Amino acid sequence: MGLRRGQSDTRSCYSRVMANQLQEETSPYLLQHADNPVQWYAWNKISLELAKKSGKPILLSIGYSACHWCHVMAHESFEDQETAQLMNKLFINIKVDREERPDLDKIYQTAHHIITRRSGGWPLTVFLTPDNQLPIFAGTYFPKEPRYGMPPFQDVLRRVETYYRENELEVRSQTKKLSDMLENLDQSSEVNHENLDHTPLKQAKQKLGEVFDGEYGGFGDAPKFPHPTNIEMLLDAWRNSAEESDPDLQALFMATLSLTRMANGGLYDQLGGGFFRYSVDRYWLIPHFEKMLYDNAALLALYAHASAATGDALFEKIASETANWVMREMQDPEGGYYATLDADSEGEEGKFYLWTQEEFESLLDTDEAKVAGEYFGLTDGANFENASHLYVAKSLDSLAENMALSVAKTRELLDHSRIKLLNTREQRVRPHKDVKVLTSWNGLMIGGMAVAARCLVREDLAISATQAVDFIRSKLWNNGRLKACYKDKRARFPAYLDDYAFLIHGILELLQYRWRSEDLALAQELVEVLLSEFEDDIGGFFFTANDHEPLILRPKPFTDEAMPSGNGIAVQVLIVLGHLLGEERYLRAAQRALAAAAEPGLRRYPEAHNSMLRGLDAYLSPPEIIIIRGEPSSLKEWRRFVHAGYNPKRVCLSIPTNEKNLPGLLADRKPQGSIVAYICRGTECRPPITSLETLKKELVPVKQTHN
């Protein structure tokens, strides 16, 4: 199926003859299909014009390189000569990488939901009218033969084409109605900002409590996703009440139980670090084996924050190991972070990660095999495809007690076992790695690394994040605009809302660990593009820029999905920069976005808008801004004190004395003596502080007030 699972880039003469229109693309996902007998096209003006001239409907297939069921459908149907001939005869076939074109994915996933009344996923299969790309019919995976209650793909192809050809007028009428429904989905209404209050935050926490799994953590039943924005909101709810007489310990319990169960389960790679995409069961035992950069970015920051909030050594360990995995396996030598690791290797899902008892006994000595087998659950028997996926079955303390060993000896045996097992695993055929660099996902990982650098006191993580910022600046930022994707020395696709918002967020997190004036300048330039090219007049931000390719819909998404809402992150960074620089335009834009999201989103479905809710909380209870000016040797101690613990509403920049020409309010934060700190909470600022003892007294936690 093209290039995947470690296959060479060298193609046979037969492959070159059969190559379709995807052979010049850079997306690893599209290149996986470049040798299909299907005459695939990329989404571009040429392919859309071809469809219009031919009169054939478009078969749009959207997926990504690490998607297991995308691989299954490709092997069953797209590599099959008979199916390919039928597709080529009846349709203009367009293949899209959803990671390169999230704009198209958002639009047609929404259309799929309207048509089928079911949630979507990948592969996404949508049939479109040839002239205006409106959906005729939609589905996800279709099997080659009747299976899972679904018709065979060839039957679907014939039925859709026949229906379109024989009922074109009716189809046109239906697609027009669908188009109208799509247009109405993201319509915002102007709301008086004075009506914004903390009510949605309280409602969101209540609704999360209703679906919380009190035994295994997480929310809902299988399949179970990490939902880091939910847990982040719960940590904030606890922290906001921590100084009150009745702190919200239930919120803390929900957050920490979820984090503990995920860390000890098979959702986490117990040998190599990093998280898989989701669990197929309630217990976090068996994952879907893809590893996505964005999941790990959010979870890295979350575990680092949880470590700072609770002092739990497990959370610190997971954050540290995840960061190590990212730097070891997912960072390009030039600095950017790669996108994904495939779920499959050697044609089988999860094979790279699975073990048998016999392998343990052959690789480890007797004591190691006994300890590791009990700890990782192998003694409970196979749990996936006649093999075992590792998870923490017993705590170290209970294991030591059961085996009459000291905890130190048990840990030593386990550490030795891990090293041997990981070294052996490294010799296996590795899952395919999608090495494209996505600006938005890099922005999230820059932020995750920066948070972990602060919370874990690890400079190497900040260096890693800085390298990624420099990569984006040099490869993806040109003439005042971002590109969304980089691969094979090509920067492609005009950047989306998420690219701008997530990158600004990452830069602001990194500035709190170390100061670089050029990074703040970049963040300001990005914000100006955000306001000029993405903002809706009535509030909120469109997913695409004003000069983006015209599509059937211009989404303005407020809800969190697998990643946080671009609108939610935009609100958060605008509030921070607005207070940091004294820039009222930023604060007014954040206010307009919150007002636009209030109905129906924040008020009716608050639990689906946690990123927006975090912005709402920051708007109602402005952040504490701390600016420290001094010599580098003095700054380090003060900065470490300010960053201790979990203070999500605290933003601290440590700026060396010799920095000149600072923007906005920062220009007024002038050096005094060897070191000085300026503290502002909202519009209230304290006198300059020149001693660490005074700073410590001033930063005694401030009680949060809620309406």
Side-chain angles (χ1 to χ4, degrees):
M1 185 171 54
L3 306 182
R4 58 186 297 253
R5 307 186 188 113
Q7 293 178 11
S8 169
D9 193 27
T10 304
R11 294 175 179 146
S12 66
C13 294
Y14 174 78
S15 296
R16 286 195 293 270
V17 171
M18 294 300 294
N20 53 42
Q21 299 299 312
L22 303 182
Q23 58 188 315
E24 300 303 323
E25 294 295 315
T26 57
S27 160
Y29 175 64
L30 298 189
L31 290 173
Q32 286 172 359
H33 297 269
D35 294 337
N36 290 169
V38 177
Q39 185 54 62
W40 289 115
Y41 296 87
W43 181 287
N44 52 44
K45 291 181 180 179
I46 294 174
S47 57
L48 297 181
E49 186 61 29
L50 177 64
K52 185 176 181 179
K53 288 182 177 178
S54 71
K56 293 181 181 179
I58 294 169
L59 192 165
L60 176 65
S61 177
I62 302 178
Y64 59 102
S65 67
C67 168
H68 172 70
W69 287 103
C70 299
H71 300 332
V72 172
M73 188 168 178
H75 178 68
E76 290 179 345
S77 295
F78 303 151
E79 295 174 3
D80 177 67
Q81 289 286 347
E82 183 181 350
T83 304
Q85 288 175 6
L86 189 60
M87 292 172 65
N88 296 338
K89 176 182 177 182
L90 300 180
F91 301 97
I92 299 298
N93 303 292
I94 296 180
K95 177 64 76 172
V96 164
D97 183 337
R98 67 106 172 177
E99 295 167 356
E100 288 186 338
R101 295 300 305 263
D103 53 337
L104 295 173
D105 186 55
K106 284 182 183 295
I107 291 169
Y108 291 111
Q109 291 284 357
T110 302
H112 171 274
H113 177 69
I114 292 174
I115 291 170
T116 66
R117 299 298 177 187
R118 295 194 301 271
S119 59
W122 302 277
L124 180 66
T125 307
V126 191
F127 298 89
L128 311 177
T129 55
D131 52 348
N132 53 11
Q133 299 88 54
L134 288 169
I136 303 167
F137 178 72
T140 51
Y141 162 78
F142 289 103
K144 184 180 178 182
E145 306 296 338
R147 195 163 62 244
Y148 313 124
M150 292 184 287
F153 188 48
Q154 289 191 22
D155 281 7
V156 173
L157 296 173
R158 293 189 183 94
R159 288 159 134 184
V160 171
E161 193 278 336
T162 299
Y163 178 72
Y164 175 75
R165 178 166 33 85
E166 295 180 353
N167 303 275
E168 185 173 351
L169 291 178
E170 182 181 345
V171 169
R172 296 284 176 183
S173 174
Q174 291 175 350
T175 56
K176 176 62 170 65
K177 292 177 182 177
L178 178 61
S179 177
D180 292 341
M181 292 178 68
L182 288 169
E183 283 289 343
N184 291 329
L185 281 178
D186 286 319
Q187 291 299 314
S188 303
S189 56
E190 293 186 86
V191 178
N192 186 340
H193 69 86
E194 294 180 359
N195 293 331
L196 295 172
D197 58 29
H198 281 96
T199 301
L201 286 141
K202 298 173 184 177
Q203 292 174 334
K205 190 241 168 177
Q206 178 184 342
K207 288 180 178 293
L208 289 178
E210 292 170 0
V211 295
F212 174 67
D213 184 338
E215 187 174 0
Y216 294 100
F219 308 93
D221 208 334
K224 192 176 276 187
F225 289 80
H227 293 302
T229 56
N230 290 357
I231 302 174
E232 182 180 60
M233 194 273 288
L234 291 170
L235 272 181
D236 285 357
W238 163 74
R239 184 63 187 85
N240 286 342
S241 68
E243 313 308 324
E244 298 175 358
S245 58
D246 186 23
D248 193 346
L249 297 181
Q250 176 63 16
L252 181 63
F253 170 73
M254 287 193 284
T256 54
L257 179 66
S258 299
L259 291 170
T260 301
R261 296 295 198 207
M262 291 191 296
N264 287 330
L267 184 77
Y268 183 70
D269 182 351
Q270 300 295 336
L271 294 182
F275 288 86
F276 302 104
R277 186 161 166 250
Y278 65 88
S279 173
V280 302
D281 54 71
R282 175 192 174 196
Y283 319 105
W284 305 109
L285 180 61
I286 301 300
H288 198 28
F289 285 91
E290 305 153 331
K291 281 186 177 180
M292 317 296 290
L293 186 71
Y294 62 81
D295 285 326
N296 283 280
L299 290 167
L300 170 58
L302 188 56
Y303 275 89
H305 275 147
S307 169
T310 66
D312 192 315
L314 173 64
F315 299 158
E316 180 180 356
K317 169 182 174 289
I318 297 301
S320 187
E321 289 177 355
T322 299
N324 292 343
W325 167 74
V326 171
M327 293 189 295
R328 184 177 70 246
E329 295 193 30
M330 300 300 285
Q331 188 158 26
D332 185 272
E334 293 189 80
Y337 298 111
Y338 299 140
T340 62
L341 283 182
D342 204 328
D344 301 359
S345 58
E346 300 183 80
E348 298 180 26
E349 183 181 9
K351 184 174 183 179
F352 181 74
Y353 303 99
L354 301 177
W355 298 89
T356 64
Q357 184 68 45
E358 292 72 25
E359 286 177 302
F360 264 46
E361 293 173 354
S362 66
L363 292 169
L364 308 176
D365 67 32
T366 302
D367 289 342
E368 289 170 344
K370 189 174 181 181
V371 167
E374 289 282 343
Y375 183 81
F376 289 126
L378 264 75
T379 55
D380 295 336
N383 57 28
F384 186 79
E385 302 291 341
N386 300 315
S388 289
H389 177 55
L390 306 186
Y391 68 103
V392 177
K394 293 180 174 65
S395 72
L396 202 64
D397 290 345
S398 65
L399 189 60
E401 183 179 350
N402 292 343
M403 295 192 168
L405 297 170
S406 69
V407 172
K409 181 61 176 178
T410 307
R411 182 181 290 109
E412 178 186 342
L413 290 169
L414 190 58
D415 289 343
H416 288 168
S417 300
R418 274 199 179 100
I419 293 170
K420 290 181 180 180
L421 293 168
L422 186 59
N423 287 339
T424 298
R425 197 178 81 174
E426 289 298 300
Q427 306 307 311
R428 296 176 176 176
V429 176
R430 299 183 62 82
H432 169 76
K433 184 181 297 182
D434 189 327
V435 296
K436 65 176 177 285
V437 175
L438 298 168
T439 301
S440 59
W441 298 12
N442 271 249
L444 291 175
M445 185 54 76
I446 290 164
M449 284 288 187
V451 168
R454 294 200 307 272
C455 296
L456 308 181
V457 194
R458 284 187 54 178
E459 185 176 5
D460 59 327
L461 307 189
I463 292 172
S464 171
T466 299
Q467 291 169 343
V469 171
D470 291 343
F471 180 92
I472 292 173
R473 191 199 317 272
S474 65
K475 306 294 186 184
L476 290 148
W477 175 247
N478 188 36
N479 294 325
R481 296 294 286 272
L482 275 175
K483 292 291 187 181
C485 178
Y486 184 89
K487 186 177 177 290
D488 297 341
K489 301 187 183 301
R490 292 172 64 189
R492 303 186 66 193
F493 307 108
Y496 310 100
L497 168 63
D498 290 359
D499 298 299
Y500 285 90
F502 295 174
L503 182 56
I504 298 165
H505 166 76
I507 290 172
L508 289 177
E509 292 288 0
L510 187 54
L511 281 168
Q512 294 188 67
Y513 184 87
R514 60 100 190 99
W515 171 264
R516 290 199 313 183
S517 57
E518 63 267 33
D519 288 350
L520 180 60
L522 176 58
Q524 288 179 274
E525 290 182 83
L526 294 168
V527 167
E528 293 303 327
V529 178
L530 193 70
L531 295 176
S532 64
E533 299 297 330
F534 289 85
E535 190 178 16
D536 187 353
D537 291 341
I538 64 172
F541 298 90
F542 292 110
F543 190 72
T544 53
N546 292 332
D547 55 359
H548 193 78
E549 166 195 357
L551 300 171
I552 65 169
L553 175 66
R554 194 180 180 197
K556 190 170 68 172
F558 292 119
T559 59
D560 294 326
E561 296 174 348
M563 291 187 291
S565 156
N567 267 279
I569 299 300
V571 168
Q572 293 176 36
V573 299
L574 285 167
I575 289 172
V576 169
L577 279 169
H579 286 289
L580 186 70
L581 302 175
E583 182 54 79
E584 287 291 329
R585 289 186 302 124
Y586 298 172
L587 298 175
R588 288 195 296 270
Q591 180 188 87
R592 288 192 296 270
L594 288 167
E599 294 290 352
L602 297 186
R603 298 198 188 282
R604 297 189 195 177
Y605 313 104
E607 72 282 7
H609 296 80
N610 286 311
S611 297
M612 291 297 299
L613 291 180
R614 218 173 191 226
L616 174 63
D617 196 22
Y619 170 73
L620 295 171
S621 302
E624 177 182 62
I625 304 291
I626 303 174
I627 307 299
I628 307 174
R629 301 296 308 272
E631 298 301 324
S633 58
S634 303
L635 289 174
K636 190 173 183 180
E637 182 182 5
W638 285 40
R639 183 180 65 215
R640 181 172 294 188
F641 171 75
V642 169
H643 287 312
Y646 180 55
N647 299 287
K649 290 186 178 179
R650 177 176 296 170
V651 177
C652 175
L653 299 184
S654 303
I655 306 176
T657 299
N658 60 1
E659 286 290 338
K660 309 295 183 185
N661 302 317
L662 296 174
L665 285 181
L666 291 180
D668 298 332
R669 309 311 186 224
K670 300 184 184 300
Q672 291 187 25
S674 62
I675 193 165
V676 61
Y678 298 88
I679 302 176
C680 293
R681 298 183 179 105
T683 58
E684 177 189 341
C685 294
R686 309 298 295 165
I689 295 171
T690 55
S691 78
L692 185 56
E693 288 305 312
T694 304
L695 180 66
K696 289 179 178 179
K697 292 177 182 177
E698 181 64 35
L699 293 184
V700 170
V702 178
K703 183 176 179 180
Q704 303 291 331
T705 58
H706 290 266
N707 296 342

